[in-house]
């Protein structure tokens, strides 16, 4: 049976990829997004004439609006992507992270609780609140420490991860206190089409395409686990369909790599996919810059729970996923131009000088 899903933050990177996939599954999507610098309606251009996608510009902190949408569209699930999501921006100015990630999640959650409590019994049993979070809440690992499991204690180190950790605790508390059928997913670093080029992968792809320096923080040996966005969206769909309320699921790509490995692979792929570029070999653009304050050394995800219990596994290798990603950026110059606004240029200048 198809569902109606209230998606928040569905004009951002992961949210828009999720919305597109849910429409392919014929689920109706009500998409609430504030359209901050990170939200872009071009991400959803394919759905312009699609009556099954209802876009609403607004804030998850606006309780009246959230209430109206819940009452009006009677969703079977809420999936919360809306967030400030960039660590470097959270170091520069944490206020909006507290506002959206903590206060916003609280308001959304509390409105969802009131809505859920009034549903008829059968619909109340089926309702789900899925909160999309990050592996960064678990803190930083040493080189030989085992990967994060769902039982790893929270130990966030940046204003971003601290705000996500706070929101996770609220979601958890709403399950335990009120019984709201909520689930939390903690995923690793996503990459793929439509990612705003402040994050590592798209920043490096776009800079390399334009012959600009590729700024690697510190020694470039920080490790992240890399997850292709479509694999992540499929895991979220499974968590909605088969996940158990009150549970947390870690989602990772089984792909631990240093930043230097990521950028070198990406440059080699670009050499091959854009052989006429004036900047081949693109790796000659690599530049080491000042490290990020409090830079977490290593994240690694143990995703055996979602693999074993829900039957999910990542389909893409880093190379196959990155090929799709680079192809998308090469094929969408209009999207690339659209994000090069004054605000984006301002951020790049502030961050990299
Ligand atoms: P993004 O920054 O690309 O998109 C965030 C979206 O939320 C934007 O469209 C923005 O307009 C919207 N938004 C911001 N504040 C809002 C508000 N107050 N009300 C309504 N909408 C608002 O983020 P993303 O990379 O797509 O991440 C989505 C979620 O996944 C976030 O919660 C993030 O913490 C989590 N996550 C992301 C990654 C990653 O690698 N990108 C990894 C782990 C977890
Ligand atoms: P990022 O994409 O910001 O994700 P996160 O900090 O949430 O993991 O960064 C990924 C890694 O890449 C992280 O170790 C910081 C590093 N990095 C750089 O070396 N240079 C850059 O310009 C950026 C944006 C990130």
């Amino acid at each position: 049976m198809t569902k109606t899903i209230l998606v928040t933050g569905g004009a951002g990177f992961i949210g828009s990829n999720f919305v597109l996939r849910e429409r392919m599954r014929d689920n109706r999507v009500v998409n609430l997004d504030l359209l901050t610098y990170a939200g872009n309606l071009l991400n959803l251009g394919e759905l312009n004439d699609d009556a099954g996608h209802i876009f609403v510009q607004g804030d998850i902190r606006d309780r009246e609006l959230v209430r109206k949408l819940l009452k009006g569209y009677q969703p079977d699930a809420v999936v919360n992507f809306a967030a400030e999501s960039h660590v470097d921006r959270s170091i520069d100015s944490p206020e909006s992270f507290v506002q959206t990630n903590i206060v916003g999640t609280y308001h959304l959650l509390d409105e969802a609780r009131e809505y859920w409590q009034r549903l008829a019994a059968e619909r109340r049993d089926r309702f789900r609140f899925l909160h999309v979070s990050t592996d960064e809440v678990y803190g930083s690992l040493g080189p030989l420490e085992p990967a994060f499991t769902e039982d790893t204690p929270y130990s966030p180190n940046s204003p971003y991860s601290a705000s996500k950790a706070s929101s996770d605790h609220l979601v958890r508390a709403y399950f335990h206190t009120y019984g709201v059928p909520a689930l939390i997913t903690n995923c690793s670093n996503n990459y793929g089409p439509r990612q705003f080029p402040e994050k590592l992968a798209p920043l490096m792809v776009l800079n390399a395409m334009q012959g600009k320096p590729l700024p690697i923080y510190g020694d470039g040996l920080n490790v992240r686990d890399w997850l292709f966005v479509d694999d992540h969206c499929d895991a979220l769909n499974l968590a909605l369909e088969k996940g158990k309320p009150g549970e947390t699921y870690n989602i990772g790509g089984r792909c631990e790599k240093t930043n230097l490995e990521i950028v070198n692979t990406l440059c080699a792929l670009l050499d091959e996919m854009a052989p006429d570029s004036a900047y081949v070999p693109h790796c000659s653009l690599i530049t080491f810059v000042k490290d990020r304050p409090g830079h977490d050394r290593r994240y690694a995800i143990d995703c055996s729970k979602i693999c074993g219990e829900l039957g999910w596994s990542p389909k893409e290798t880093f190379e196959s996923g990155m090929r799709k990603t680079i192809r998308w950026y090469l094929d969408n110059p209009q999207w690339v131009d659209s994000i090069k606004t004054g605000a984006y240029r301002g951020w790049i200048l502030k961050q990299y000088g």
Side-chain angles (χ1 to χ4, degrees), residues 162-177:
S163 67
K164 292 298 289 186
S166 306
S167 62
D168 293 7
H169 289 320
L170 283 169
V171 174
R172 183 189 146 88
Y174 268 58
F175 169 75
H176 281 276
T177 308

Side-chain angles (χ1 to χ4, degrees), residues 3-5 23 26-30 51-54 72-74:
K3 287 188 162 69
T4 296
I5 307 176
R23 285 304 299 138
D26 216 22
N27 286 325
R28 183 169 75 143
V29 174
V30 181
H53 173 242
I54 298 119
Y73 292 104
Q74 296 283 306

Side-chain angles (χ1 to χ4, degrees), residues 12-14 33-34 36 39 59-60 81 85 100 160 164 187 190:
F13 163 48
I14 306 173
D33 194 298
L34 187 55
T36 66
D59 195 323
I60 56 168
F81 294 95
S85 67
T100 286
Y160 164 67
K164 292 298 289 186
C187 68
N190 283 222

Side-chain angles (χ1 to χ4, degrees), residues 9-15 32-40 58-61 80-85 100 132-135 160 164 187-190 195-196 198-199:
F13 163 48
I14 306 173
L32 172 63
D33 194 298
L34 187 55
L35 294 182
T36 66
Y37 78 91
N40 187 345
D59 195 323
I60 56 168
R61 290 172 303 169
N80 184 28
F81 294 95
E84 289 293 336
S85 67
T100 286
V132 179
S133 190
T134 168
D135 58 1
Y160 164 67
K164 292 298 289 186
C187 68
S188 58
N189 285 56
N190 283 222
Q195 186 169 29
F196 193 78
E198 61 187 358
K199 307 275 168 59

